[in-house]
Amino acid sequence: MSQIMKLSKKLLGYILFLLFIIYLAYYINQNREDFSALLDIAPIFLILISVTHLISFLMNALFLKVSMQPFQKEISLSESFFVSLLTSIGNYFFPVGAGTGTKAVYLKRKI
């Protein structure tokens, strides 16, 4: 792949990330009263929820890594963690198991 293509893909990624951050800030600003309820929750509970989600993603990543071994396909733990996150985001934002489809497409192209 040429240097220009690599640079343009990287630039597109940064632009999409920036657009996401702008949209997220707009959304939070428009729904301030909903997000203010988070301030009533004890920080320890927010930390526990975050750690639980992190452990869940890690377990899904390990499951994916182990389930690829019978097919003689190697995937790093960090990549399987990324796929686990991608699947969860897809399932959260899109209906009908789009995260699983996203995982299948990613693995088909990558491996």
Side-chain angles (χ1 to χ4, degrees):
M1 194 181 292
S2 71
Q3 290 286 47
I4 295 173
M5 289 293 289
K6 287 181 182 178
L7 184 62
S8 62
K9 279 188 172 185
K10 196 171 200 174
L11 182 62
L12 179 64
Y14 287 132
I15 290 170
L16 288 175
F17 179 72
L18 181 63
L19 288 174
F20 175 75
I21 295 299
I22 290 170
Y23 175 75
L24 185 63
Y26 169 77
Y27 182 81
I28 290 171
N29 188 40
Q30 292 299 106
N31 299 292
R32 240 183 242 164
E33 64 280 351
D34 294 332
F35 286 97
S36 66
L38 288 175
L39 297 175
D40 296 335
I41 300 173
I44 188 70
F45 291 125
L46 294 176
I47 291 169
L48 286 172
I49 290 170
S50 298
V51 168
T52 303
H53 272 82
L54 186 64
I55 291 170
S56 172
F57 291 137
L58 184 60
M59 295 303 292
N60 284 335
L62 288 171
F63 178 76
L64 177 62
K65 183 173 177 53
V66 169
S67 64
M68 296 296 288
Q69 290 174 349
F71 301 104
Q72 286 79 37
K73 302 292 183 178
E74 283 296 318
I75 185 170
S76 69
L77 184 59
S78 61
E79 189 173 17
S80 60
F81 187 80
F82 169 73
V83 172
S84 174
L85 286 174
L86 191 65
T87 302
S88 295
I89 290 170
N91 285 337
Y92 183 76
F93 287 110
F94 302 107
V96 193
T100 305
T102 304
K103 181 188 338 184
V105 169
Y106 178 84
L107 291 174
K108 179 74 172 171
R109 287 187 181 177
K110 192 71 176 176
I111 297 178

